[in-house]
Amino acid sequence: MRRTAEVLAAELARIGMEHVELIEVALPGGQTGHPLVLADWLHAPGKPTVLCYGHYDVQPPDPLDEWHTPPFEPSERDGNLYARGAVDDKGQMYMHVKALESLFAAGGGQLPLNVRVLLEGEEEVGGESIAAFLRSHPEKVEADFALVSDTEMFAPDLPTLCVGLRGMIYTEVEVRGARTDLHSGMYGGAAPNPFFALAQIIAQLKDQDGRILIPGIYDGLQAPSTDELAAWARLPFDEVHYLATEIGATSLVGEPGYSVMERTWARPTLEIHGMPGGFIGAGAKTVIPARATAKLSMRLVPPMEPMTTFARLKEYIESLTPKGVSVEVRLIHAGEAAVIGTDNPYIQAAVAALKQIWQVEPVFVRSGGSIPVVGDFERCLGIPSVMMGFGLPDDNLHAPNEKFNIRNFHLGIETLIVFFEALGAEHNAAGFGVAG
Ligand code: BES
Ligand code: MN
Ligand code: MN
């Protein structure tokens, strides 16, 4: 992690960025996480300031035996670059570096607008350091808007701006029964089994249709506007194709009465990721485990508050505790949902740049995924985010054989160059704001 941060810092200095530093944020409890990389170039008086954000951490590469080439040795096949982090988010973050490098070179060491770069190494684990840094040093990241390239295009060759992310809470539910593991023949019939207790709890979290049963969870949710819903209905989307190519199961599931877009972008969800505990080795072992755990997360939509949602989840799970066991619900990390308005000049300039390079009218989408810092940009800095990403739906984010389409990488860089040039050239006429 540190080496990656150092490589990025060296790259930023090499292309011409100034005040490049690694920042270790002191976290509550005295630990530090992974360093932030910060840099700026602020010599375009009167021009807007962009805050370029990216993350250099990645998801674990397992299961390793499903990768066709090793996850940490980038390899090129059929116009794609395969590697963990190729698109999420090392490759996309690097588009910002290459666009800035090109602008520095073409401008004789000058950029058309003011630029700050802020990179983090903890996005995939909740982004605690960057959140603390924004709260304690907002002046070091003062900007007019943030640029985030960590999202996908809705379809190949369809330029896309993401204007909504779901928030999340990630939790662990631990059920404890007997003091220690027990022989299942000697004690089975008398001793509580924490896996059964956990299964009974989990089975009561959603109904057969996928509706979450936590009391109050759907209260006061903001539905997307009719305009937004109409735009989603016009997106090129075929449920059968989606089921076959992206999901690969026999049927889709989820709340009746909502489209796939609504269910994945604008409705809360609850998922179980794994259930560590007990005997999972090869062969048989007759044991009643003393404890069982479930990794459980929820995706949130406005105006759901992570802490209120966690409290509701915890209270509901505790109310379901079967006899003979105790339950503990722990919060691992949390992030707020974000919905971005499209009526600001930065989004409008992004639309124009995408249209110019891709020769197609861009679409606005939301995403079911989460990027915790986007909510913080809004709340701590009061700035909107332009989420302009160039991943594709089949890029295998978080999965084996993650890839980045190399043509998208190049067109993405071109789009960013045109976007930055337009912001620097036209802002007086268009009336863009200026930080400070
Ligand atoms: N880049 C993704 C989020 C994303 C994916 C947005 C696809 C739009 C389209 C991000 O790196 C991610 O995976 N975030 C985690 C956040 C979490 C662990 C706090 C997520 O969504 O699970
Ligand atoms: Mn990402
Ligand atoms: Mn990710």
Side-chain angles (χ1 to χ4, degrees), residues 79 112 243 251 256 264 323 327 372 392 429 433:
L243 174 62
S251 169
T264 56
K323 73 175 180 188
V327 177
L392 291 177

Side-chain angles (χ1 to χ4, degrees), residues 55 88 123-126 150-152 165 168 299 333 367 369-372 397-398:
H55 67 89
D88 184 14
E123 192 276 343
E124 301 287 7
V125 292
D150 191 24
T151 53
E152 305 175 312
L165 297 167
M168 91 174 312
R299 299 281 169 172
H333 62 68
S367 166
S370 310
I371 306 174
L397 277 74
H398 294 198

